[in-house]
Amino acid sequence: MHRRTAVAAVTLTAGLALSACGSGVDETEPAQPTPATASSSDHADHSTGATADAHEHPADGGPPPAGIADAVDPTHPIGSDVVLSADHMPGMGGAGATIAGAFDTTAYSVSYAPTNGGAPVVDHKWVVHEELEDPGPAPLPEGSEVILRADHMPGMDGANATIDSSTQETVYMVDVHSEDMPMTNHKWVTESEVQPAP
C-alpha cells in the first residue's frame, strides 16, 4: 500500500513539474509539447514549450484597458476577418481571426518574473502602454523597468518587468478561430502580425 502511495506521489509530482513553467526561454522558439501533457484544449507556455496550466491565456481576454485610444482609421476595422502571422504560441500562426478592437498605442515586448513563483518569462509579446503602472510618456526605452498591470496570464499582474522592445504600429484585439485555442478578445497582435483573410 505504501509503495502505491509513493508511486502516485512521484507521478503527481512529475505531472505538476511538466505543467509548470521551466527556464526562461525566448517565446519565439517553437514549442515541443509532450504527449503526456498536450491536449487539444491546451496551448504551450510562451516561455518553455510545456503546457500552460500556470500561464494560460484565458478563453476571454476581457475588455481593453482604460485610457487606450481607438485607432482612427485602422487597416483592419472591427469585424474584419484576418489571418494571424504572429507566432506567440503554437497554433497561432496561420489561424483565422476577427478583429475585436483596433487601438493607437505603444506595444512592448517584456521579460518578467511572475508573481506566482513561476520561472521568468522572456520576450512576452505584447503588453500595451496602458497596461503599465504609472509609466510616464510613451514610448519607454529598451531596458526600462516597469510594473505590469496586464492580466493576460496568471502571475502577470503586478510583476516586475523589463522592456525588451517596442512598436507603435496599430495594435489589435482579436477573436481567434482555432480548434486548438479559440479565444475572444485576445490581447495583442500588431499591424505587421495581421494579414487580410483570403
Side-chain angles (χ1 to χ4, degrees):
M1 186 66 167
H2 290 292
R3 181 180 169 151
R4 277 192 198 162
T5 303
V7 169
V10 168
T11 302
L12 178 60
T13 302
L16 289 173
L18 286 172
S19 68
C21 293
S23 62
V25 176
D26 190 316
E27 291 183 358
T28 59
E29 292 181 7
Q32 302 296 325
T34 61
T37 60
S39 78
S40 62
S41 63
D42 291 337
H43 67 270
D45 176 76
H46 283 274
S47 62
T48 67
T51 54
D53 293 343
H55 277 162
E56 188 174 84
H57 284 271
D60 186 342
I68 195 168
D70 291 331
V72 175
D73 187 22
T75 304
H76 307 285
I78 293 173
S80 299
D81 290 326
V82 296
V83 175
L84 304 178
S85 57
D87 59 356
H88 304 169
M89 62 188 77
M92 180 175 251
T98 301
I99 300 296
F103 305 95
D104 284 331
T105 186
T106 301
Y108 300 98
S109 172
V110 295
S111 295
Y112 68 96
T115 60
N116 61 0
V121 176
V122 179
D123 196 31
H124 172 82
K125 295 183 176 75
W126 302 94
V127 296
V128 296
H129 196 76
E130 293 76 11
E131 293 175 316
L132 305 178
E133 184 174 290
D134 300 323
L140 298 177
E142 290 180 18
S144 295
E145 300 291 325
V146 296
I147 297 175
L148 303 178
R149 287 302 171 204
D151 59 357
H152 307 169
M153 300 184 294
M156 183 178 246
D157 189 13
N160 293 312
T162 302
I163 302 293
D164 294 323
S165 63
S166 66
T167 181
Q168 291 184 278
E169 306 167 71
T170 300
V171 177
Y172 295 97
M173 193 165 65
V174 293
D175 296 342
V176 181
H177 313 303
S178 166
E179 290 182 11
D180 293 334
M181 47 171 254
M183 289 186 284
T184 302
N185 292 341
H186 174 72
K187 303 181 183 78
W188 304 94
V189 293
T190 61
E191 182 77 50
S192 59
E193 296 173 325
V194 176
Q195 307 300 323

